[in-house]
Amino acid sequence: MNVDRTIRTLDEFTIQSLRQFPQATGELSSLLRDIGLAAKRVNVEVNKAGLVDILGDHGTMNVQGEEVKKLDIFANNQFVGVLQRGISCAGIASEELDDFVAFDDDISKNSKYVCLFDPLDGSGNIDVNVSIGTIFAIYRRVSDRGTLATREDFLQKGRNQVAAGYMVYGSSTMMVYATRRGVNGFTLDPSIGEFCLSHPNIKCPERGKFYSVNHGNFFQYPEDVRKYINTCQNKTKETGGPYTQRYIGSMVADVHRNLIKGGIFMYPGTTDKPKGKLRLLYESNPFAFIVEVAGGKATDGNIPILDIIPTELHQRTPLFIGSKGMMQDLEECMADAQKEMV
Ligand code: AHG
Ligand code: MN
Ligand code: MN
C-alpha cells in the first residue's frame, strides 16, 4: 500500500534514507536523533530566555579567552549529556571544553562516531533576541572500536566528515544537515515537537545578492580581501553587483541565509588576528562540508577548508564561503591583487 505522506519527521527521513543502505547499522540515524533532541531542549530555553534567569554572562572565560554566557553552558551540557547517554558516540569536542572528552563506558567505547560542536553560535546575540544557532560535525573514529576515543579521532581533516549540520534558533527553529548524498532542512513544528522536512535537497544558488563581512574590520583586512570587498559594491553585469551587505554576527544565520538565497560570507584574518576568529573544527569545517555538498565552495583564501590538516582542537582559520560563482570572483580578484602587489 502506498501511503501519501506529505510531512516527514527527521526520524522518518533518516530511517527512510537508511533503508536504501542495507549494510548501514542505524548508528548515524540514532546520533542525528540525539542531536535533534538536544536541540529541542536548547530551543525551549532560547525561547523563554527573557523570562527565566538564563540571559547574561556565566562569569567565566572559555579556553579561548572569550566570555561565556549562561546559555553557552546550558547548550553545551545538553549536547554532551544526550550524546553521552546515546549509543552512537565515542566522544565529543566542544568550543566550551578545553579538551576533548572520550566517553568511558562499554557502549560508548564500542561506538563508531565522534562529534564536534559549537553548542551556541552567535552567543553575543543571545541577550538581544537575534538568531543564534548550534553547529556540529560528525566523523567516523580512526581509533579501534572497543577502546577510548583518541585525539586523532578529532583532528581529522574536514573532508573526512560523515555528516555535518546546524540548528538556527530564529523566526522558526531549523535543523539542516548534510551527508555526502545531500543537504536537507527540517523546521521544528512546535505543535508536535518534531523537526519536519521543509527544505529537501538544498542547493546553493550559483550566485546571489548578499555579501556578509564585518565592515568594522575593513582596514585590518589584507589588501587583496579589501579589493574584493570593494568590488562587491560595484555595479557589473557579470557579477550581478552591487550586492546587499548583510551581517548578523551569528555565522549560523548569515551562512544559512546565503546557502538558501545565494551569497558569500567572509571572516578574513585581521592585523590583530591573522587567523581570524572562526574555529576550524566546529565552525568552518561543518559549514564547508554542508556548502560544498550543496554546490558551493569554502576556502581559507588559499586552499579548500576541507583540506586543512588540523593540529589543535581550537585552531582558527580565515573563512570565505558561499556561492560558487561568487567564490570564483573572489579567487580571481585576490589573485589579480596579489600580482599587482609583487
Ligand atoms: P561564538 O558565539 O560561538 O563565539 O561565535 C561567534 C562568531 C560567529 O558566529 C560570528 O560570525 C562571529 O563570531 C562574529 O564576530 P565579529 O563580531 O567579530 O564580527
Ligand atoms: Mn561560534
Ligand atoms: Mn559558541
Side-chain angles (χ1 to χ4, degrees):
M1 189 177 64
N2 239 343
V3 182
D4 180 23
R5 291 285 312 278
T6 44
I7 303 279
R8 262 188 296 170
T9 67
L10 173 67
D11 286 358
E12 286 176 316
F13 180 85
T14 54
I15 288 164
Q16 271 176 16
S17 314
L18 194 71
R19 277 167 157 255
Q20 295 164 20
F21 292 96
Q23 72 282 15
T25 59
E27 280 179 81
L28 184 62
S29 308
S30 127
L31 189 52
L32 290 165
R33 188 167 55 235
D34 292 344
I35 290 171
L37 173 63
K40 284 191 245 179
R41 292 188 176 147
V42 172
N43 179 61
V44 169
E45 292 308 303
V46 168
N47 272 300
K48 60 182 184 197
L51 301 171
V52 293
D53 183 28
I54 196 130
L55 289 181
D57 297 338
H58 185 256
T60 54
M61 296 278 196
N62 67 16
V63 64
Q64 297 149 80
E66 296 159 341
E67 236 170 43
V68 176
K69 302 276 181 186
K70 287 181 201 161
L71 260 174
D72 283 321
I73 299 298
F74 177 85
N76 184 62
N77 292 345
Q78 289 307 316
F79 282 97
V80 176
V82 160
L83 293 171
Q84 184 156 27
R85 289 188 295 272
I87 55 163
S88 314
C89 187
I92 55 97
S94 160
E95 178 189 343
E96 301 306 338
L97 299 173
D98 299 4
D99 208 352
F100 70 92
V101 179
F103 298 143
D104 191 4
D105 61 88
D106 286 343
I107 291 179
S108 302
K109 282 197 286 188
N110 277 300
S111 297
K112 208 188 322 188
Y113 298 108
V114 294
C115 185
L116 298 90
F117 50 89
D118 175 355
L120 214 61
D121 176 66
S123 49
N125 280 326
I126 295 171
D127 294 353
V128 288
N129 206 355
V130 170
S131 294
I132 50 181
T134 296
I135 312 169
F136 62 91
I138 298 171
Y139 292 83
R140 198 166 286 125
R141 61 190 293 188
V142 290
S143 57
D144 291 333
R145 284 173 89 159
T147 63
L148 284 172
T150 63
R151 189 167 299 278
E152 287 64 45
D153 295 329
F154 296 92
L155 295 181
Q156 298 189 54
K157 62 177 180 206
R159 217 153 295 273
N160 291 0
Q161 284 170 101
V162 172
Y166 61 88
M167 272 61 83
V168 202
Y169 313 102
S171 47
S172 60
T173 293
M174 276 192 78
M175 173 166 169
V176 175
Y177 82 85
T179 63
R180 264 171 239 286
R181 289 157 45 83
V183 186
N184 289 282
F186 302 80
T187 301
L188 184 64
D189 178 346
S191 64
I192 55 168
E194 293 282 0
F195 283 105
C196 297
L197 183 64
S198 53
H199 296 62
N201 199 17
I202 296 172
K203 297 279 177 223
C204 183
E206 178 82 16
R207 289 184 170 280
K209 268 285 176 197
F210 299 112
Y211 77 108
S212 313
V213 70
N214 185 337
H215 259 283
N217 291 337
F218 184 84
F219 292 106
Q220 286 204 52
Y221 293 145
E223 200 177 325
D224 50 356
V225 176
R226 292 205 304 259
K227 283 230 156 97
Y228 174 73
I229 294 175
N230 283 334
T231 68
C232 291
Q233 296 154 16
N234 291 344
K235 190 173 172 70
T236 72
K237 236 203 196 137
E238 296 74 40
T239 66
Y243 302 142
T244 296
Q245 210 272 345
R246 287 275 186 279
Y247 189 74
I248 294 175
S250 292
M251 176 197 190
V252 165
D254 277 314
V255 182
H256 174 68
R257 181 201 49 248
N258 293 357
L259 173 67
I260 304 287
K261 299 265 191 195
I264 186 166
F265 172 95
M266 296 166 268
Y267 206 111
T270 62
T271 33
D272 289 350
K273 294 181 184 161
K275 296 241 164 225
K277 179 180 182 189
L278 299 174
R279 276 60 54 113
L280 174 65
L281 294 189
Y282 42 81
E283 292 181 316
S284 301
N285 264 340
F287 269 116
F289 183 82
I290 297 162
V291 167
E292 276 205 10
V293 173
K297 275 189 96 173
T299 75
D300 68 353
N302 292 304
I303 61 165
I305 290 288
L306 297 178
D307 289 335
I308 300 174
I309 311 277
T311 52
E312 284 166 46
L313 277 184
H314 299 289
Q315 85 187 60
R316 296 177 198 259
T317 174
L319 175 66
F320 303 87
I321 186 167
S323 293
K324 205 180 208 161
M326 297 167 90
M327 285 293 296
Q328 279 161 357
D329 296 342
L330 165 84
E331 281 159 17
E332 279 165 28
C333 182
M334 284 171 67
D336 287 349
Q338 281 160 18
K339 270 187 230 143
E340 279 166 27
M341 274 147 48
V342 286

